[in-house]
Amino acid sequence: MPKSFVIPRAAEPILRRQAGLLSTVQCEELGIGREVRRRLVGQLRWTSPARGVYDTDPVPLAGRVRDDWFDHAASWRTWFALLLHGPDAVATGCCALVLHGVSGLPRDFPLEVAREDRSPRRTRHDVVVVDYAPFPTVQVGDRVVARIDHAAAQALRRLPRQNALAVLDDLARRHGFTPTRLAELHDLVRRRHGSARLHELFGLVDPRSESFAESAARLSFHDNGVPPDDLQVRFAADGVVVARVDFVWRLPAGRWLVVEIDGVGPHSTQQALVRDAPRQNQLLAGGQTIMLRFRPAENDRPGGIGAQVAKVLTRHHWQPGRYPYEGTPVKLPTPALSGTGT
């Protein structure tokens, strides 16, 4: 095999879709024969994570450096599960949610597939072959996938509470799950064993949550008895919006507690952190706003972020219900400092 071997052009869209993975069948269809594959693996140019599956990126998944690593890893694990069990494997549960583009799943979400003929196969490489009662499916690309509502019902009961709420928030925010559709999904969930702990989460769904970290923080606030008065609130000075913040609580004497979750979404880059500095100055200039900033990992501590926020709110005599949502920007009591807000 010449060293100049390159992957056929016809493989490029498949590799983009399948996170760099190919099955033995696909390789044969593309003209990449057994001997070629054997040499590529032997030369460490490809790897074979399981029999019948090839990874065209020799760098181990955990060691890849890319901005979209979490999305890439979720896609890689999903396609690994599907290719491992052949072309008639049906994506279900979390794997189906990945193909539907739903976010909020944990890094090591459960891998499961079903088979169109419902024939059993043994679990391989932690990929479970499930046998659900018949459920509706859709076509996503060239794969059969559980319909998004049934995929969610299959997946939610196997997820930690934080991730379950994040998935529900994302369904409401980006996938058209209105209150009516969420109620229908709730009915689907009720029929499944182990769903009791999920019931309260449906009452907490908020499409304004923009990331897993925000959903997890909001759940921690709820668990600690301090649900935020509002989310994604805009603050304005002299009629100009100078900031939009993640969470707010209305304190006595016209004061505010603001909580921001750093390191995700719009706060994730160094440029964003630099941009946030003048914005924070504008919020705090009048002395009427208290700001707390947290990293997502702080929510993993006992009590989570909510326990820390609860202490501050108790100190400042917060009580719920003092701020009815109006959808209009909060007016800062004094002119903002010079600088441009976002």
Side-chain angles (χ1 to χ4, degrees):
M1 182 188 67
K3 294 183 179 181
S4 60
F5 171 83
V6 294
I7 295 174
R9 184 178 297 273
E12 293 177 1
I14 301 172
L15 293 172
R16 285 194 297 270
R17 182 173 68 249
Q18 297 179 180
L21 296 176
L22 291 172
S23 70
T24 297
V25 172
Q26 289 172 327
C27 286
E28 293 291 340
E29 292 174 345
L30 291 165
I32 307 172
R34 179 179 179 180
E35 183 63 21
V36 173
R37 299 193 301 271
R38 187 184 66 79
R39 291 184 182 179
L40 286 168
V41 172
Q43 294 171 352
L44 305 182
R45 296 168 67 181
W46 284 15
T47 61
S48 180
R51 183 177 180 180
V53 181
Y54 294 92
D55 192 344
T56 60
D57 186 341
V59 178
L61 180 63
R64 297 176 189 177
V65 178
R66 46 191 300 162
D67 293 338
D68 64 342
W69 187 89
F70 286 99
D71 290 338
H72 171 73
S75 180
W76 190 99
R77 297 181 73 239
T78 294
W79 279 103
F80 173 75
L82 289 170
L83 297 178
L84 185 67
H85 286 281
D88 60 344
V90 179
T92 58
C94 294
C95 289
L97 291 181
V98 169
L99 295 185
H100 284 296
V102 177
S103 66
L105 296 170
R107 173 175 173 173
D108 295 319
F109 56 85
L111 298 178
E112 65 173 54
V113 298
R115 303 190 63 78
E116 291 187 277
D117 59 5
R118 301 186 65 182
S119 62
R121 282 197 182 182
R122 64 185 176 87
T123 295
R124 297 175 59 198
H125 296 273
D126 296 324
V127 181
V128 178
V129 180
V130 294
D131 183 17
Y132 290 121
F135 55 87
T137 60
V138 296
Q139 200 82 13
V140 177
D142 62 348
R143 302 302 300 217
V144 178
V145 179
R147 201 174 70 189
I148 190 169
D149 52 345
H150 283 259
Q154 293 161 355
L156 285 170
R157 65 190 179 90
R158 301 185 63 188
L159 296 178
R161 290 172 68 239
Q162 294 179 338
N163 296 98
L165 180 58
V167 165
L168 289 170
D169 285 342
D170 191 57
L171 290 173
R173 178 166 55 96
R174 298 192 301 123
H175 298 276
F177 273 69
T178 61
T180 297
R181 288 192 72 190
L182 284 171
E184 293 170 350
L185 174 57
H186 196 177
D187 287 340
L188 285 176
V189 169
R190 289 181 202 274
R191 304 172 193 171
R192 299 180 181 275
H193 177 72
S195 63
R197 67 185 182 86
L198 299 172
H199 296 328
E200 67 167 343
L201 300 183
F202 281 86
L204 300 178
V205 176
D206 195 317
R208 294 174 296 172
S209 281
E210 297 179 341
S211 67
F212 163 76
E214 290 185 13
S215 297
R218 204 173 81 254
L219 183 59
S220 181
F221 301 144
H222 170 79
D223 288 345
N224 284 276
V226 288
D229 286 331
D230 208 356
L231 285 66
Q232 310 302 344
V233 175
R234 296 168 294 162
F235 281 77
D238 295 333
V240 177
V241 173
V242 298
R244 181 170 69 92
V245 301
D246 296 334
F247 305 103
V248 299
W249 290 258
R250 178 68 160 169
L251 303 176
R255 304 187 73 201
W256 298 88
L257 173 65
V258 168
V259 168
E260 291 274 73
I261 309 299
D262 290 331
V264 296
H267 310 297
S268 60
T269 64
Q270 185 62 38
Q271 292 86 346
L273 293 175
V274 171
R275 186 184 66 236
D276 280 351
R279 180 187 73 148
Q280 180 170 326
N281 290 339
Q282 290 175 305
L283 281 173
L284 302 180
Q288 294 296 98
T289 303
I290 302 168
M291 175 176 282
L292 301 177
R293 307 189 78 108
F294 296 98
R295 297 185 304 276
E298 293 180 77
N299 211 31
D300 297 332
R301 298 175 180 175
I305 293 172
Q308 300 179 60
V309 171
K311 291 179 181 179
V312 176
L313 290 172
T314 298
R315 237 179 7 250
H316 290 276
H317 309 290
W318 171 81
Q319 293 180 3
R322 285 179 168 168
Y323 172 59
Y325 172 69
E326 298 176 351
T328 57
V330 174
K331 295 180 180 179
L332 292 172
T334 58
L337 296 177
S338 60
T340 301
T342 58

